[in-house]
């Protein structure tokens, strides 16, 4: 696209990153082996180091970090010190940096950083503008900040020439993340943060989430390659964002349909083969894999067997370790279902049919289901105080679905020869 | 649904056993032992739900053992099922994995779902438990405890082949207990403990991280104190060093001041020549040696100049030297020429004589000029040779053409004679008849066809006769087979044997007559008839089917034979028409053999005459063609003779023209002209010899004359006598050459002396200049030192050297001062202090500063230790991996805990759902089942028991007094009545919720007393008013009871060993 107004004839690049979450621990993953522990522990810091290297290698004019770079003192001091060291490296190379704080971030979070290097601006509170110049000529103006009832009003395109970049942390679906509203502010590029998955919302003007540089769990947004966006301005044209992966640890979820798999050995062999393919595709990184087994078939009964999943997971991990590759199977999730048709079971008029009918009644009556769950889950809630065991309606419905399937499996003696 | 019949292909003892039309309601199948009642019960179960795979338990194998057909092969068959929406057929054949084939009421093939729907979702286990059971299976309940009975009835029996709800609840409880239990170890409990420990350690790590700002401030304060103390120490050290330096510098300073005073007192000599004394010592001897050199060179120069003037050269000889050298080089050639001149002149005169002889041979008109101009070149000679060859070829061609013309004329005459002879032979033959010649080929063809048709007519008549006979026999066989439909008898065997014989004969006749199709058909029919006869003779069954197949086969063969015969009739008609046409063409009224032979003889004679005339006509045409070719060859030969004569005349005319052009005598032929060319060549060679001798003579004369003229001129220039020739001239020239050589030597010596004089003159000049330069240098040296003579010069130089030594000492002292004091204001101040010369004060100040340094250094070291401790504390917090390590570990435990919690939640919720389902099931269904079973049981026992109750999960029966009794406390018969009533209740309940299924029982009334048996029969009759009941029994009295209870019921009798006699009574 062609940027608005008078733009420098100079060509330059800048890097857009967001949601560094430096040293925030991984979530919802199991224990990793000792040989991979350090890589997983330091993954977010290594990804940030890679971001700095990227900016220097591409001779970027500036770097923007769109919020959630650091999650507070609970994540320790390393993150603050590592961030400052990286910013010093950037400044030493003449690269400016702008950190836009999210609405829930405060400058006081950076307790271990008494001052930022020259050339680094931290934008929080109201929206402010930061000019970026080279050889006395305005390359770009960065607008960023947070707070206020309507922060977007603070983003105003100035008469100054050059590229105008809005830096904002606004989670997708939030009140600020509205493409039309963003586009109306006259920016040439919106460097957004708040989504851990990379996505481009608009090409005119460019509005993009860079995503996090390092995934930290097996939620959908955390999976696959993670990194930063490199933007190139060539004369009057802003080129499409270029994604550059920076993650050192990559998380992948492998779904396997067991419907046509004859036995556990074949299932294991298939998963090992897919892990090898993933390793080749994502070479050079530590891979954390989670398998989700789906479908119906005779293997469902095999998987119901006590410790069947544990044995399978142990075999997968053993295979990866024997190969000496930085691959770790985190877990195997069993989402398989019995081959029996629930509709047919429901027609039988027997106890199973009665159970299916009850399950349907509960699914249609959340209050009744909630009451049953509250009574049943009381011992666990006593053991795990707080809101850790709070379940919303959807989670409760999913539990009911799994519980119904388990009850049917047990009553239908799927695992008895 | 109900069962309306079955067709057993193979199953146990049954093979091809079909029963249809089983009515709704109660039907009794009565038969003795080994009639197959239990087999039929198993057949119904296995056709509907599959053949057993042998994996069931011992009891299952007993109930559902495999019923392999007695004669081998796979079991199979079909059930005919009536439903509200029409009639279905359920068919199954094969092994354990054989699937049922369902035919829908509209004839289409159905799916597994159709069968499941037909069965109301009932599976095999439920069907066997509730709907189709034997006495053994009825008694099975008796071996179970009360809970087992209840479980079978209300749980396993209803859920089909599933684990009981209680077992499911047990498994779910185990799962939960493994994860979480109020007391004792469990997975979640362990994870929570680990999580608590981690959180505690993490809190400590966070506290440490929170102290970072304070640690940073403390470190900075410590660093500032270290800096302050360090500065103070440095200040005291500087003062102490300053005082020490003043004390140390004082001797140096004093020495410098003394040197400066001595320098000021000396005579001021500002400068002195560089190396003055040495330079003066070098100049003085060099000046003396230069004066001696000038004198010696001037003396030598005078001597050499005198010797040069004594050498005087002759300039005339120098001028003649070059010409004398040239003549001396040509002197040998001059001597040779004057000797050879007379020999060359003699050779010229001899050549002139030979030339005169050749000119005479050529003729008077030839002289030296014509001889030289005549062209006898190689091309001319080649042209003459071409003329000779052309004339020879033209002459030979004319001779060959004449010879060929003579031979061609003779050949033409011979061919004319042959043609005349052939024409005479043809005219001697009789004249032909045109009409007979034209008809001859058609008549010959007609005769050939007529002979073939007459032979074919004989064979065709025989085939038609045989076909008519075969048709008659087949008609008889067909009619015979149609009349033999009654059951076989001895008469039928006889008839079939006769038929077989007739068919064999007919097949042989057909084969002999070439009727391959009919023969094969008759053969097959004969085999069928033979087989049928044999089967009948052996008393086997299936006569009717064989007879039908034979009738069909005979009818087919009859139709095929009739069609073949009709085709033969058509062929015969076409053949007769052809015979009539050909006979008419040949003029035969009746095509008898004699007439045919006479006609063949006549046609043969006509054919021979026709062929002879045709041969002679072809010979005459050939002779005429050869004559035409010979005439053409003779005319061509005559044309060639004329053309060869023209060629010869042309060649001769061209030769004559060439002779005239080249001056060759006209009388010469080309061969003569070539000889003439040889004579001219000899003349030309003589002329060449004369010309060469004359040319050589002229050259010698010119050389001798020129040499003598040049030699005379040379001698004249050198002052010698000039008019000399021959040897005298040669002697004079050699003498002149010697004089010239002597003059050249004299000139060389004089030139060398002249060069020596010039060199000595230059050497004398250089010696004088060198002497003057040395004198100038000495004077300049004196002037440089400001001295007038050598003595003054040496004194001034000594003063100057002493001053230089003092100045150097002064500079050295200054350099050492700068090196030790330094530069800048401090140095200047130190020098100023030195000028004061207060050495004692300096020593006291240095001692005081040294004491201060020691005190302050101790304080600074203590501050440094404190700063390092603060730095270590700060670095420890900065580099701590505790938070990320613990956080990572915590995340793993939280994940594990979440998964365990989820599994617990799923198991817990599943337990709740199962419990509520079971409660509802028991609450809603047991009353209905128990009520139905209770009524039946009361009726069956004649009021001995009032009903059934379900209390605290246990089944009990109630006696008339209101007491209760567990089922295991009942007698065997009563217990079986109880279990039968419960099944009837369950079947009724299933009909209400799932669908109506037939009840199939095998001798379940045998243990009942007559009274109870009658009551059960009435109960079954009542039940059968709503659902079909099939009851197998080997007891006629049981059948009678049921007939009494249900007068309209169906009764089938089964024969022992599966005789095909099952039929409604």
């Amino acid at each position: 696209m062609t940027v608005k107004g008078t733009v420098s004839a100079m060509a330059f690049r800048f890097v857009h990153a967001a949601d560094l979450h430096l040293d925030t621990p991984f979530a919802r993953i199991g224990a990793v082996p000792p040989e991979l522990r350090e890589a997983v522990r330091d993954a977010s810091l290594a990804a940030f180091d890679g971001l700095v290297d990227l900016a220097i290698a591409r001779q970027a004019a500036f770097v923007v970090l769109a919020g959630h770079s650091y999650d507070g003192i609970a994540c320790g001091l390393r993150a603050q010190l590592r961030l400052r060291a990286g910013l010093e490296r950037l400044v030493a190379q003449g690269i400016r940096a702008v950190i836009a704080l999210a609405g829930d971030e405060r400058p006081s979070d950076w307790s271990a950083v008494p001052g930022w290097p020259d050339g680094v601006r931290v934008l929080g509170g109201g929206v402010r503008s930061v000019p970026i110049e080279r050889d006395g000529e305005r390359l770009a103006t960065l607008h960023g900040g947070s707070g206020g009832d309507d922060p977007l009003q603070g983003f105003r395109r100035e008469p100054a020439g050059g590229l105008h970049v809005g830096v904002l942390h606004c989670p997708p679906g939030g009140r600020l993340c509205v493409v039309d509203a963003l586009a109306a502010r006259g920016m040439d590029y919106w460097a957004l943060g708040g989504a851990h998955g990379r996505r481009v919302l608009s090409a005119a003007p460019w509005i993009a989430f860079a995503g996090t540089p390092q995934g930290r769990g097996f939620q959908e947004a955390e999976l696959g390659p993670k990194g930063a966006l490199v933007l190139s301005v060539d004369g009057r044209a802003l080129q499409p964002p270029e994604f550059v992966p920076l993650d050192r640890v990559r998380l992948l979820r492998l779904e396997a349909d067991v419907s046509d798999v004859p036995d556990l050995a074949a299932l294991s062999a298939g998963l090992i083969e897919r892990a090898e393919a993933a390793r080749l595709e994502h070479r050079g990184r530590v891979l954390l894999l989670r398998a989700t087994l789906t479908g119906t078939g005779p293997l469902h009964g095999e998987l119901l067997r006590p410790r069947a999943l544990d044995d399978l997971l142990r075999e997968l991990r053993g295979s990866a370790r024997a190969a000496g590759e930085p691959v770790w199977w985190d877990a195997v999730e069993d989402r398989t279902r019995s081959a029996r048709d629930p509709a047919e079971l429901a027609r039988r008029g027997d106890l199973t049919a009665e159970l299916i009918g009850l399950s349907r009644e509960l699914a249609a009556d959340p209050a009744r289901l909630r009451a049953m769950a509250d009574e049943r889950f009381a011992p666990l809630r006593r053991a795990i105080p707080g809101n850790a065991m709070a379940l919303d309606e959807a989670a409760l419905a999913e539990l009911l679905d799994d519980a119904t399937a388990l009850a049917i499996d047990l009553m239908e003696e799927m695992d008895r020869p | 649904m109900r069962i309306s019949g079955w067709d057993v292909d193979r199953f146990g003892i049954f093979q091809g056993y079909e029963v249809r039309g089983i009515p709704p309601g109660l039907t009794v199948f009565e038969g003795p032992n080994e009639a197959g009642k239990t087999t039929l019960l198993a057949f119904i179960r296995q056709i509907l739900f599959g053949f057993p795979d042998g994996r069931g338990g011992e009891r299952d194998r007993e109930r559902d053992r495999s019923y392999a057909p007695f004669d081998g092969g796979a079991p199979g068959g079909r059930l005919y099922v009536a439903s509200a929406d029409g009639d279905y057929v359920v068919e199954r054949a094969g092994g354990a994995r054989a699937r049922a084939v369902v035919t829908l009421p509209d004839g289409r093939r159905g799916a597994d779902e159709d069968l499941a729907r037909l069965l109301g979702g009932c599976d095999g286990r439920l069907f066997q438990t509730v709907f189709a059971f034997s006495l053994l299976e009825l008694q099975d309940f008796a071996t179970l405890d009360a809970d087992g009975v209840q479980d079978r009835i209300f749980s396993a029996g209803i859920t089909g082949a599933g684990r009981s709800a209680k077992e499911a609840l047990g498994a779910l409880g185990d799962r939960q207990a493994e994860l979480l239990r109020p007391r004792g170890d469990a997975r979640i409990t362990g994870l929570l403990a680990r999580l608590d420990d981690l959180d505690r350690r993490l809190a400590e790590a966070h506290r440490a991280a929170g102290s970072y700002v304070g640690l940073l401030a403390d470190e900075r304060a410590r660093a500032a104190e270290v800096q302050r103390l360090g500065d103070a120490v440095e200040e005291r050290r500087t003062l102490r060093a300053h005082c020490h330096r003043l004390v140390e510098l004082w001797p140096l300073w004093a020495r410098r001041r003394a040197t400066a005073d001595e320098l000021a007192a000396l005579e001021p000599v500002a400068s002195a020549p560089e190396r003055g004394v040495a330079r003066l010592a070098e100049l003085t001897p060099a000046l003396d040696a230069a004066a001696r050199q000038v004198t010696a060179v001037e003396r030598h120069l005078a001597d050499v100049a005198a010797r040069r003037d004594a050498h005087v050269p002759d300039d005339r000889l120098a001028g003649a030297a070059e010409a004398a050298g040239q003549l001396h080089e040509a002197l040998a050639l001059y001597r040779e020429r004057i000797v050879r001149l007379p020999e060359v002149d003699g050779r010229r005169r001899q050549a002139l004589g030979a030339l005169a002889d050749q000119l005479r041979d050529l003729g008077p008109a030839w002289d030296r000029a014509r001889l030289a101009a005549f062209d006898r070149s190689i091309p001319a000679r080649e042209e003459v040779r071409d003329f000779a060859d052309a004339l020879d070829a033209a002459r030979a061609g004319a001779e060959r053409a004449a010879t060929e013309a003579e031979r061609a004329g003779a050949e033409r005459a011979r061919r004319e004679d042959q043609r005349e002879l052939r024409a005479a032979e043809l005219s001697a033959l009789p004249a032909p008849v045109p009409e007979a010649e034209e008809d001859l080929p058609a008549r010959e063809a007609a005769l050939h066809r007529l002979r073939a048709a007459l032979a074919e007519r004989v064979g065709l008549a025989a085939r038609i006769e045989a076909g008519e006979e075969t048709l008659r026999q087949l008609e008889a066989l067909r009619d015979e087979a149609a009349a033999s439909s009654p059951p076989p008898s001895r008469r039928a065997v006889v008839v079939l044997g006769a038929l077989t014989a007739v068919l064999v004969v007919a097949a042989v006749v057909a084969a002999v007559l070439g009727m391959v199709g009919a023969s094969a058909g008759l053969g097959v029919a004969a085999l069928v008839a033979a087989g049928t006869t044999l089967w009948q003779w052996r008393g086997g069954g299936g006569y009717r089917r064989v007879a039908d197949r034979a009738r069909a086969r005979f009818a087919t063969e009859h139709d095929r034979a009739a069609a073949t015969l009709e085709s033969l009739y058509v062929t015969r008609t076409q053949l007769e028409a052809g015979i009539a046409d050909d006979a008419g063409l040949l003029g035969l009224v009746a095509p008898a053999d004699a007439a045919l032979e006479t006609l063949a003889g006549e046609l043969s004679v006509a054919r021979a005459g026709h062929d002879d005339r045709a041969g002679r006509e072809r010979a005459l045409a050939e002779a005429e063609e050869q004559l035409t070719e010979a005439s053409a060859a003779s005319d061509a030969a005559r044309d060639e003779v004329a053309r060869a004569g023209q060629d010869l005349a042309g060649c001769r005319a061209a030769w004559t023209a060439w002779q005239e052009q080249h001056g060759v005598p006209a009388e010469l032929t080309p061969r003569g002209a070539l000889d003439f060319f040889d004579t001219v060549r000899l003349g030309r060679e003589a002329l060449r010899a004369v010309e060469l001798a004359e040319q050589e003579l002229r050259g010698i004369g010119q050389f001798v004359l020129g040499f003598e003229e040049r030699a005379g001129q040379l001698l004249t220039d050198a002052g010698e006598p000039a008019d000399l020739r021959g040897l005298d001239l040669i002697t004079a020239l050699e003498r002149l050459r010697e004089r010239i050589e002597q003059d050249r030597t004299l000139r060389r010596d004089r030139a060398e002396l002249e060069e020596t004089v010039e060199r000595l003159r230059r050497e004398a000049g250089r010696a004088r200049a060198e002497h003057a330069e040395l004198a100038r240098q000495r004077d300049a040296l004196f002037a440089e030192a400001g001295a007038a003579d050598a003595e003054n010069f040496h004194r001034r130089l000594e003063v100057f050297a002493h001053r230089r030594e003092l100045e150097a000492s002064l500079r050295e002292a200054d350099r050492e001062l700068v090196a030790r004091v330094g530069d800048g204001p401090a140095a200047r101040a130190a020098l100023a202090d030195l000028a004061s010369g207060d050495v004692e004060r300096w020593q006291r100040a240095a001692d005081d500063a040294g004491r201060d340094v020691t005190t302050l250094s101790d304080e600074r070291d203590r501050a440094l230790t404190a700063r390092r401790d603060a730095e270590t504390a700060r670095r420890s917090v900065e580099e701590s991996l505790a938070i990320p390590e613990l956080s990572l570990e915590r995340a793993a435990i939280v994940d594990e805990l979440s998964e365990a919690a989820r599994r617990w939640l799923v198991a817990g919720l599943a337990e709740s759902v199962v419990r509520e389902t079971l409660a509802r099931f028991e609450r809603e269904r047991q009353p209905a089942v128990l009520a139905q079973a209770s009524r039946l049981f009361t009726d069956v026992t004649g009021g001995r028991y009032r009903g059934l109750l379900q209390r605290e999960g246990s089944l009990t029966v109630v006696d008339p007094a209101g007491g209760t009794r567990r089922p295991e406390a009942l007698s065997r018969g009563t217990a079986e009545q109880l279990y039968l009533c419960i099944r009837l209740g369950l079947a009724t309940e299933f009909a209400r919720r799932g669908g109506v299924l037939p009840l199939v029982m095998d001798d379940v009334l045998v243990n009942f007393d007559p009274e109870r048996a009658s009551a059960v029969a009435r109960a079954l009759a009542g039940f059968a008013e709503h659902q079909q009941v099939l009851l197998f029994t080997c007891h006629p009295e049981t059948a009678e009871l049921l007939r009494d209870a249900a007068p309209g019921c169906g009764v089938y009798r089964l024969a022992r060993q599966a005789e095909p006699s099952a039929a409604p009574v």
Side-chain angles (χ1 to χ4, degrees), chain A residues 234-312:
Chain A
D234 184 8
R236 297 179 63 83
L238 176 61
Q239 303 300 321
E242 175 196 1
F243 170 70
V244 179
L246 298 172
D247 49 348
R248 298 298 192 268
V249 177
R250 190 162 290 175
L251 299 104
L252 301 173
R253 186 184 283 275
L254 304 181
E255 185 170 323
D257 189 337
V258 304
S259 300
D260 297 324
V261 181
D263 51 33
L264 284 174
L267 175 63
S268 173
L271 289 173
I272 290 171
E273 188 176 337
R274 293 185 61 183
E276 175 61 12
R279 185 188 67 77
L280 294 174
E281 182 183 352
H282 305 283
R283 194 186 293 272
R285 288 172 171 80
V286 173
L287 286 189
L288 299 186
L289 305 178
R290 181 171 285 190
T292 303
L293 309 181
T294 61
T296 62
L299 220 52
H300 172 69
E302 293 283 317
L303 293 169
L304 275 179
R305 203 165 38 78
R307 290 182 297 282
L309 285 177
D310 294 339
D311 292 343
L312 175 61

Side-chain angles (χ1 to χ4, degrees), chain B residues 467-478:
Chain B
E468 289 171 345
E469 179 60 25
T470 300
L471 190 62
R472 282 193 296 275
Q473 291 171 354
L474 285 171
E475 286 173 348
L477 289 171
R478 182 189 60 191

Side-chain angles (χ1 to χ4, degrees), chain A residues 18-26 39-48 196 210-217 221-228 243 245-251 285-286 288:
Chain A
D19 298 283
L20 303 181
H21 292 287
L22 293 171
D23 238 354
T24 300
F26 279 45
V40 173
R41 183 193 68 202
D42 299 341
S44 61
L45 303 182
F48 173 67
H196 287 198
T212 179
Q214 175 60 59
R216 292 183 296 107
E222 308 288 337
L223 300 175
K226 298 295 175 184
F243 170 70
L246 298 172
D247 49 348
R248 298 298 192 268
V249 177
R250 190 162 290 175
L251 299 104
R285 288 172 171 80
V286 173
L288 299 186

